[in-house]
Amino acid sequence: MKLPVEFRRVGTRRWLQGYTEDMSSSGVRFRAGEWVQPKSRIEMIFRMPVGDPCNFVCSGVVLRVDLPAQAGLLPTIAATIDEYTFVRIPKSTP
């Protein structure tokens, strides 16, 4: 399942965008148009497609960045998931 992800280096203000390729309880692999250096601490927000809308907010460390072998593909970033929380999104009232 491809989930949208926003991520940034800890201590910076600019959020970057991407989408997941693979995710487990301890790590994630995602594609993004921009990337950060390996060993960087990052914050990530995943939009979870569930009945009760929520964001999966976590932090981790970039393990590696794989640059694409062919044109048209985005770099792949592999990162740990060290800390996380689920944040409910308030339902809008009509």
Side-chain angles (χ1 to χ4, degrees):
M1 176 180 348
K2 292 184 179 185
L3 300 174
V5 59
E6 293 180 26
F7 67 102
R8 67 180 177 186
R9 278 188 310 127
V10 170
T12 63
R13 295 179 132 194
R14 186 168 169 247
W15 289 94
L16 305 172
Q17 309 231 343
Y19 61 90
T20 61
E21 286 283 312
D22 189 29
M23 188 178 224
S24 72
S25 62
S26 62
V28 62
R29 190 169 50 97
F30 59 94
R31 290 192 181 270
E34 298 182 53
W35 51 276
V36 295
Q37 293 293 325
K39 299 184 183 176
S40 298
R41 289 210 47 81
I42 60 172
E43 299 170 305
M44 298 168 277
I45 300 175
F46 299 90
R47 313 279 181 232
M48 303 305 287
V50 293
D52 187 11
C54 68
N55 289 334
F56 179 61
V57 180
C58 55
S59 62
V61 176
V62 174
L63 299 174
R64 74 176 183 277
V65 175
D66 297 325
L67 298 177
Q70 66 187 73
L73 294 178
L74 299 173
T76 304
I77 301 168
T80 62
I81 295 176
D82 298 332
E83 297 177 25
Y84 65 89
T85 187
F86 288 94
V87 178
R88 282 202 168 111
I89 299 171
K91 293 181 180 178
S92 58
T93 54

